[in-house]
């Protein structure tokens, strides 16, 4: 890779890293803030947490394809800066929120502007050769992992000074990140590879229908959808589950998420660069999904807090499947449609985030409420494992069909 492209990859990594740190800071204290605003318990707070994520995802579903198409016309840089600024405003509103309604307003704004990972994916596709895309997409996971080493630990520590302090810190970091991007981040999409904006191609349903242009990918896209929904069994309930079952405080939740970040960073930033070239994309997908499934089953039946740390190892090893699956899909699409593709995939992810958090948090709330038929806070993890198995089967059938048709 030429030095200029290596530098650009470094810039986008730092931008994403700061973005994730800001997001990670707020996670350990969100359940506590929701409890304070609704004057309820963790079971009630988990339901509200699911609907807050729904609000963010619904707006992102509507707006991500528009931003993806705008990045194909005007370049990645202005869209990425718009996204970073929106997150900063979101955190300011949440830090000042007097009622739960303010939290919804902040999440809606973040959903409208939230295209940082979409645009970053297109940015990386712009500057990567096809054979390098899997390992370079892995840098997104590495930024996510490293950000989650730093962010939640800081958030857990700051949470001891008040449930709103981490949101103030996240707002400052996001706006500083916006300034960094404004002065440092270069443009990745050459004018020769840009195309005209089309509202027909930018509407969310049209964006999803765009995926029909590649029928050979249908099975993998559905498999990806199941993975996204299954992942919400962890993403949407981790803090609630461990606070409920093992009585963790914000600090302990922050530390656990820091460990998640460390493991994800090691897998995405290091292990995948060794494993993917040796196994290839197809086998990497199978092995990753097997680890995901095993890890989720272990989470569901964990009986002591320390087990959650140990079981993170197989679960995080599942991360080798994501970049491989993304690379297979990306390699079927021409360079001047990468922004549109990533916008469509983000819309797909938003659909799963519309579905996943309410399902998982309401399942958690159902099995932890006072009159629950059976007390089983691990129910969302078990459902996630079933969905991961379904994704494995679909991926296998898709690859087998592709080989048969040659």
């Amino acid at each position: 890779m030429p030095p200029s492209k290596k530098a650009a990859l470094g810039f986008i990594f730092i931008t994403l890293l700061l973005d994730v740190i800001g997001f990670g800071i707020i996670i350990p204290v969100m359940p506590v803030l929701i409890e304070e605003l609704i004057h309820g318990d963790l079971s009630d707070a988990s339901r509200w947490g699911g609907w807050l994520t729904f609000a963010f995802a619904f707006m992102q579903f509507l707006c991500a394809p528009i931003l993806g198409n705008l990045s194909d016309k005007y370049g990645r840089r202005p869209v990425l800066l718009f996204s970073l600024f929106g997150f900063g405003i979101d955190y300011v509103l949440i830090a000042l929120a007097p009622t739960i309604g303010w939290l919804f307003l902040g999440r809606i704004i973040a959903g409208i502007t939230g295209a940082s990972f979409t645009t970053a994916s297109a940015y990386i596709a712009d500057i990567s050769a096809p054979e390098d895309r899997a390992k370079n997409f892995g840098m997104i996971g590495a930024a996510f992992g490293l950000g989650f080493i730093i962010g939640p630990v800081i958030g857990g520590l700051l949470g001891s000074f008040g449930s709103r302090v981490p949101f103030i810190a996240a707002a400052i970091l996001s706006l500083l990140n916006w300034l960094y991007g404004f002065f440092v981040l270069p443009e990745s999409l050459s004018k020769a590879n840009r195309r005209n904006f089309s509202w027909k191609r930018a509407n969310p349903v049209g964006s999803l229908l765009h995926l029909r242009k590649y029928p050979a990918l249908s099975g993998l896209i559905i498999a990806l959808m199941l993975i996204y929904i299954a992942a919400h069994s962890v993403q949407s309930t981790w803090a609630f589950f461990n606070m409920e079952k093992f009585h963790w405080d914000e600090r302990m939740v922050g530390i656990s998420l820091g460990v998640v970040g460390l493991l994800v960073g090691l897998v995405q930033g290091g292990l995948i660069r060794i494993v993917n070239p040796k196994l290839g994309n197809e086998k990497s997908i199978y092995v990753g999904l097997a680890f995901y499934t095993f890890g989720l089953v272990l989470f569901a039946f964990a009986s002591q807090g320390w087990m959650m740390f140990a079981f993170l190892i197989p679960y995080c090893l599942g991360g080798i499947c994501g970049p491989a699956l993304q690379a297979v899909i990306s390699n079927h699409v021409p360079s001047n449609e990468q922004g549109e593709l990533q916008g469509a995939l983000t819309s797909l992810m938003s659909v799963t985030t519309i579905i996943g958090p309410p399902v998982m948090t309401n399942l958690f709330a159902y099995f932890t409420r006072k009159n629950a038929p059976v007390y089983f806070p691990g129910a969302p993890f078990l459902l996630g494992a079933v969905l991961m198995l379904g994704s494995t089967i679909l991926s296998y059938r898709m690859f087998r069909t592709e080989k048969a048709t040659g």
Side-chain angles (χ1 to χ4, degrees), residues 247-269:
H247 307 293
W248 288 4
D249 58 12
E250 298 98 315
R251 177 176 169 273
M252 197 64 179
V253 171
I255 291 170
S256 71
L257 290 171
V259 173
V260 172
L262 176 62
L263 292 172
V264 170
L266 290 172
V267 171
Q268 301 279 359

Side-chain angles (χ1 to χ4, degrees), residues 13 17 20-21 24 27 138-153 234 238 252-270 299 308-309 312-313 315-317 319:
F13 176 79
L17 174 63
V20 175
I21 290 173
I27 294 177
M139 288 193 67
I140 297 176
F144 182 89
L146 187 57
F148 261 67
I149 295 170
I150 302 168
V153 174
V234 176
W238 181 265
M252 197 64 179
V253 171
I255 291 170
S256 71
L257 290 171
V259 173
V260 172
L262 176 62
L263 292 172
V264 170
L266 290 172
V267 171
Q268 301 279 359
F299 286 153
M308 299 302 288
F309 286 90
L312 280 171
I313 295 173
Y315 179 77
C316 290
L317 283 171

Side-chain angles (χ1 to χ4, degrees), residues 191-272:
K191 291 186 177 180
N193 285 329
R194 299 184 187 185
R195 63 173 178 82
N196 291 329
F197 180 84
S198 166
W199 278 108
K200 184 177 180 181
R201 298 174 74 172
N203 76 79
V205 176
S207 180
L208 288 173
L209 292 177
H210 166 75
L211 297 173
R212 294 194 307 177
K213 290 170 63 176
Y214 310 99
L217 296 176
S218 59
L220 293 180
I221 290 168
I222 296 171
L224 188 64
M225 186 174 181
L226 292 180
I227 292 170
Y228 286 150
I229 295 173
H232 280 291
S233 63
V234 176
Q235 295 170 15
S236 299
T237 68
W238 181 265
F240 295 106
F241 173 86
N242 287 299
M243 286 179 169
E244 169 69 26
K245 188 166 186 179
F246 304 119
H247 307 293
W248 288 4
D249 58 12
E250 298 98 315
R251 177 176 169 273
M252 197 64 179
V253 171
I255 291 170
S256 71
L257 290 171
V259 173
V260 172
L262 176 62
L263 292 172
V264 170
L266 290 172
V267 171
Q268 301 279 359
L271 185 63
I272 194 169

Side-chain angles (χ1 to χ4, degrees), residues 55-178:
F56 169 82
F58 183 72
M59 295 312 299
Q60 190 175 63
F61 170 70
L62 295 178
C63 298
I66 297 173
L67 293 175
N69 277 265
L70 285 172
S71 80
D72 280 342
K73 177 175 175 59
Y74 296 107
R76 317 304 183 196
R77 185 177 182 275
V79 174
L80 189 57
L81 292 177
F82 177 67
S83 174
L84 295 175
F85 187 77
F87 274 117
I89 298 302
D90 168 37
Y91 297 141
V92 169
L93 287 174
I94 294 177
L96 300 174
T99 65
I100 193 73
W102 280 55
L103 266 63
F104 277 96
L105 177 60
R107 292 281 78 193
I108 287 168
I109 291 172
I112 292 170
T113 63
S116 56
F117 278 78
T118 306
T119 313
S121 296
Y123 192 109
I124 289 171
D126 291 339
I127 63 174
S128 303
E131 63 272 17
D132 292 329
R133 279 180 178 161
K135 68 179 183 181
N136 288 342
F137 279 135
M139 288 193 67
I140 297 176
F144 182 89
L146 187 57
F148 261 67
I149 295 170
I150 302 168
V153 174
I154 293 174
L157 294 172
L158 291 177
S160 63
F161 297 101
S163 60
R164 297 172 190 268
V165 174
F167 293 94
I168 296 170
I172 293 170
L173 188 62
S174 292
L175 293 174
L176 287 174
N177 193 13
W178 173 76

Side-chain angles (χ1 to χ4, degrees), residues 314-399:
Y315 179 77
C316 290
L317 283 171
I320 66 174
C321 87
L325 190 54
Q326 195 173 10
V328 170
I329 294 171
S330 179
N331 288 340
H332 281 72
V333 177
S335 60
N336 67 345
E337 294 183 9
Q338 288 292 333
E340 185 176 38
L341 170 69
Q342 300 303 333
L345 291 178
T346 300
S347 290
L348 182 73
M349 182 169 64
S350 295
V351 169
T352 65
T353 309
I354 289 168
I355 299 167
V359 169
M360 298 302 180
T361 56
N362 276 279
L363 190 62
F364 172 82
Y366 179 80
F367 283 102
T368 56
R369 61 195 174 110
K370 293 177 182 178
N371 58 342
V374 178
Y375 179 76
F376 184 42
F381 298 137
L382 203 57
L383 175 58
V386 172
L387 295 175
M388 289 292 187
L389 271 177
S391 181
T392 306
I393 294 167
L394 278 171
S395 298
Y396 173 76
R397 291 182 62 186
M398 192 68 228
F399 281 116

